Amino acid sequence: MNLMAAVELIQAPLSETLLRLSAVLAEAVPHRTIAQLSGNCAYSPFLTHGESPGRPGSIVTAADLAALRPLLPARGNWQGRAQVAGVDVPVLALTSDITGQSALLVVVRTEDTPVPEEHLTRAQLLWDLVAAHRDGLRTEALPGSLAASRAAAAARAAAIAELRDAHGGVLTALLGILRDRALDDTNARTRAVDVAVSALADLRSRAELDQSLAEERAGDAFERLAVSLRRILRARNVRLELGPPGVEEGADRLLPADVTDTLLAVVRATVHASLDDQGHGPEGDGEHRVHVGWKVGTDELRATVRDNGPGTLSRGALDARRVNERLAPLGGRVDLDAVPGWGTTVIFEIPLASPSTPRQDPLTALGARELQVLGQLARGRRNRDIAQDLHISESTVKFHVARILGKLGVSSRGEAAALAHEWGAA
């Protein structure tokens, strides 16, 4: 596996990962479409990249990928012919067990010959790498990614709701007409009813599939948190007390995955800060305890972290661990009550509805490497000079410049440079 290709794959913005992965696999596994169904990317769990959908077998859907899951192990691959968009095509499917919900990659190939084992191994390692990288981003719940991802999740949910209402209304009306006994041609009516019923079932399954990937039961999320906290406290003289949400506290309620992921991240960060705070207390003053509890309200998810430490934990300690920074994109807040000699109580609240967001810095759409290229571009550097300074090829610089212009919605290097100066990137 080309290590530089792997590095550039990880450095690329999430929106470009599939495009870059397709480019890396193109020589070893010639294909015309590539698609993913990833449980650790709750905001865009289904993505596809490839040629225009005018060609049979090019339109890959989430339902097509879901149908391939039973053919694969938790981690491994399967190759053969499968139905994609109603067309029988050769495919290669890869699955990674890096996350709880296995990440699935499907490649619609241009040829039917088996992929050699050597190329399969490299493709599997690349897909494991992508899955691990995304799982790490999910665990960290970085604010910049959350802000963009939350907007994507809201847009996708709105689109699905519109499709469900529009198609559901039409198909329900169609069923009513076709079931009218006043109509003749029984056989045609029966066949039309079957088609409409199948379409309704398919529409419902797509909505349920998206929901299962973008949402998580409160009880399951708390159990994930409990497992990670036990691991943190295993080697410490700290007793962990858990207050999981019961049925009355909303344990079975489905919550947005970005909310649960963020709450897990800030609770873990607070427990680490609490351990540091306890380290400054007097020795031999009894067993240290940390209590963590959750409650699902009508409009918000609340978490409580309480300890019996020296009671000197400060907001600055939480800021140092980026707690407020993680909560901000979701409109969350934190209250801290530290009583010297008695301990500290920290309460988090995150709204379950997407907050309205003001106009954001357009440069947040750019990845780390693109920001570096933009900074050089804003100083009037040529592509050749930028390539030498950043130790990349000139063609890669051209690729980044094209992506920068597209993401910023500008048509020239000069306009991009002006935005860079306006928003402090130069």
Side-chain angles (χ1 to χ4, degrees):
M1 180 171 56
N2 187 319
L3 291 180
M4 182 53 68
V7 169
E8 293 193 354
L9 187 62
I10 293 302
Q11 289 180 331
L14 289 179
S15 60
E16 295 179 13
T17 302
L18 206 59
L19 180 152
R20 298 288 186 89
L21 183 58
S22 176
V24 173
L25 293 176
E27 183 176 353
V29 188
H31 58 275
R32 60 175 182 250
T33 309
I34 187 171
Q36 71 167 41
L37 189 61
S38 178
N40 64 347
C41 188
Y43 322 106
S44 298
F46 173 68
L47 292 174
T48 183
H49 167 74
E51 30 178 76
S52 62
R55 193 169 175 180
S58 295
I59 309 173
V60 183
T61 67
D64 291 329
L65 269 62
L68 291 173
R69 273 200 189 278
L71 301 176
L72 286 98
R75 179 184 184 275
N77 63 79
W78 177 88
Q79 54 181 321
R81 300 190 69 87
Q83 289 288 316
V84 176
V87 180
D88 186 59
V89 292
V91 302
L92 168 64
L94 301 166
T95 185
S96 175
D97 61 355
I98 295 296
T99 65
Q101 289 179 300
S102 60
L104 177 63
L105 181 75
V106 172
V107 182
V108 179
R109 303 177 57 210
T110 57
E111 53 191 48
D112 211 356
T113 56
V115 178
E117 187 64 32
E118 176 187 5
H119 296 328
L120 284 177
T121 300
R122 292 176 180 174
Q124 182 70 59
L125 289 174
L126 280 173
W127 184 231
D128 284 342
L129 180 67
V130 170
H133 176 57
R134 285 182 168 166
D135 198 54
L137 294 177
R138 175 187 182 183
T139 300
E140 288 299 316
L142 297 176
S145 300
L146 279 174
S149 298
R150 184 94 185 211
R156 191 182 68 251
I160 291 175
E162 290 175 4
L163 286 173
R164 182 171 59 243
D165 292 342
H167 290 247
V170 170
L171 293 174
T172 300
L174 178 61
L175 280 173
I177 295 171
L178 294 176
R179 284 173 173 165
D180 189 343
R181 293 182 179 277
L183 294 175
D184 54 10
D185 197 350
T186 304
N187 291 333
R189 184 167 63 249
T190 300
R191 181 176 179 183
V193 168
D194 290 340
V195 170
V197 169
S198 297
L200 281 171
D202 181 61
L203 188 64
R204 189 179 304 112
S205 68
R206 289 168 190 256
E208 291 173 350
L209 174 63
D210 183 85
Q211 183 183 58
S212 69
L213 293 172
E215 296 182 327
E216 183 177 21
R217 285 181 63 255
D220 293 340
F222 187 86
E223 181 56 31
R224 280 203 296 129
L225 173 63
V227 170
S228 64
L229 292 179
R230 293 188 189 103
R231 188 179 303 117
I232 292 171
L233 302 176
R234 185 175 299 159
R236 308 291 291 265
N237 183 29
V238 177
R239 188 175 77 187
L240 176 63
E241 300 173 347
L242 298 173
V247 175
E248 294 183 357
E249 290 81 24
D252 292 330
R253 184 170 170 183
L254 289 172
L255 304 177
D258 54 356
V259 170
T260 58
D261 288 341
T262 298
L263 201 56
L264 264 66
V266 297
V267 167
R268 281 194 296 260
T270 301
V271 169
H272 279 294
S274 173
L275 294 176
D276 292 342
D277 188 49
Q278 289 176 358
H280 293 96
E283 296 184 1
D285 55 352
E287 181 183 48
H288 290 307
R289 297 189 304 276
V290 173
H291 173 87
V292 176
W294 274 23
K295 183 176 181 180
V296 184
T298 303
D299 302 315
E300 79 286 328
L301 177 60
R302 172 182 289 194
T304 302
V305 179
R306 185 170 60 249
D307 68 37
N308 67 335
T312 56
L313 184 65
S314 67
R315 286 185 174 272
L318 298 185
D319 290 340
R321 293 184 176 274
R322 307 175 68 182
V323 168
N324 282 289
E325 188 179 350
R326 287 186 167 103
L327 291 170
L330 303 185
R333 68 184 185 90
V334 55
D335 289 327
L336 184 148
D337 182 18
V339 180
W342 289 90
T344 304
T345 299
V346 183
I347 298 176
F348 303 100
E349 288 185 353
I350 302 180
L352 296 178
S354 299
S356 57
T357 55
R359 177 178 177 266
Q360 295 182 347
D361 179 352
L363 303 189
T364 58
L366 305 182
R369 178 66 83 182
E370 289 168 336
L371 286 172
Q372 291 177 334
V373 172
L374 178 62
Q376 298 263 1
L377 185 153
R379 294 195 291 273
R381 306 295 302 281
R382 296 180 302 174
N383 288 350
R384 180 182 302 174
D385 299 327
I386 296 174
Q388 290 176 350
D389 284 354
L390 299 183
H391 304 290
I392 56 179
S393 67
E394 192 171 346
S395 62
T396 300
V397 174
K398 293 179 180 177
F399 171 82
H400 285 312
V401 170
R403 297 292 297 181
I404 290 169
L405 299 182
K407 288 184 176 183
L408 297 182
V410 297
S411 58
S412 69
R413 296 165 70 100
E415 291 180 65
L419 279 177
H421 287 287
E422 177 184 353
W423 292 93

